Amino acid sequence: MQIILMHSRFTQAKSVTLSSHHLILAVLGFLLITCVCGALMAALTLRLASADVPLLRNLLPASVSLAHDPDAKERYLKENLAAMAARLGEMQAQLVRLDALGERVQGLAGVKPEEFNFKEAPGRGGPEILKSPSAELDMKELQAALDTLATDIEHRSDYMNVVETKLMAFKIQSKLLPTIQPVNVAYNASGFGWRMDPFTGRSAFHEGIDFSAPTGTPIMAAAGGVVIAAEYHPQFGNMLEIDHGGELITRYAHTSKIYVKLGDIVKRGQHVADIGSTGRSTGAHLHFEVRVKDVPQNPHKFLSAGANQANLAKLDQK
């Protein structure tokens, strides 16, 4: 290669001839200068990093920083341990809430505390199978395991909240069913269905059951609800009606005295009236009805269900 140099100061043009040897030497020189500059930059970076320059320390990989700074490893471990300790504290608080929620759900479900104790850790075991003979949990894997565990706890907490809501709804609904016998007597004088009318002697349908007891015997609400009638009726005498929701009502007739008024909220088992013989009645008794959508139902179905639940509860206590 020949290079011709021309300038106003030159009396004549000059030429320079470059051979392949010159080109090779130029490339080698450029590479040598590049390597020297790179080495100098690396040495300068490591020196500044060891001098605790935050920007460069953050740009360096953790392995390089730990290798050249004796205190960097300790700082790295402390920072990660502090972060994991904070995460562990959050998980412990979530577990406390989950334990309290589990105890509430346990109570609503009727499970005995000794059968499902949230305070004790479940038994675990089995053979140890490692991915490799020297498998150890590093910091990243531990952090990932903590994140997964926190997510699982949150999901289980959401699920337990849904279960608690459902169980609470079932419990409230069961309390609104008329399953408590309104009068504490051993038998009823007249059952539900067709019978001979005590006044006319003709066959007539009896829409409830009669509990015979002395005048003044307390009458209890068979379930919680709202009073929708507390009045005198030509047939039923002093009559009380309680709405339990879901178009289900109970009727208490022929009472001598009523202790609640229209619009009152009554509790399950509350003393609401006394037995009497008002209206179309042959003697002191309670005429008790259960009606769904204004259709009379056999009260024995509800009262028998309540008696079975009470017997099961006694067995559980034993």
Side-chain angles (χ1 to χ4, degrees), residues 11 20 51 66 75 87 95 103-104 161 191 250 293-294:
T11 58
S20 59
L66 295 178
R75 288 198 304 270
R87 192 62 181 272
L95 284 175
E103 290 181 357
R104 294 200 303 270
N161 279 316
T250 51
K293 296 183 179 180
D294 205 30

Side-chain angles (χ1 to χ4, degrees), residues 115-193:
E115 293 179 358
F116 201 79
N117 191 355
F118 289 89
K119 300 296 184 182
E120 297 180 0
R124 296 183 298 176
E128 182 182 15
I129 302 176
L130 301 177
K131 292 184 292 185
S132 63
S134 60
E136 294 183 358
L137 191 66
D138 59 18
M139 196 69 70
K140 291 183 178 179
E141 292 176 341
L142 180 59
Q143 185 65 43
L146 288 175
D147 293 340
T148 302
L149 182 59
T151 302
D152 290 342
I153 291 176
E154 185 176 357
H155 289 169
R156 281 162 174 75
S157 179
D158 293 340
Y159 175 75
M160 291 286 282
N161 279 316
V162 173
V163 173
E164 182 190 23
T165 302
K166 291 292 185 182
L167 288 175
M168 183 66 72
F170 290 150
K171 188 170 184 179
I172 293 174
Q173 185 177 7
S174 66
K175 287 187 175 183
L176 297 178
L177 292 177
T179 54
I180 291 181
Q181 186 163 306
V183 182
N184 187 20
V185 295
Y187 67 97
N188 57 284
S190 181
F192 178 85

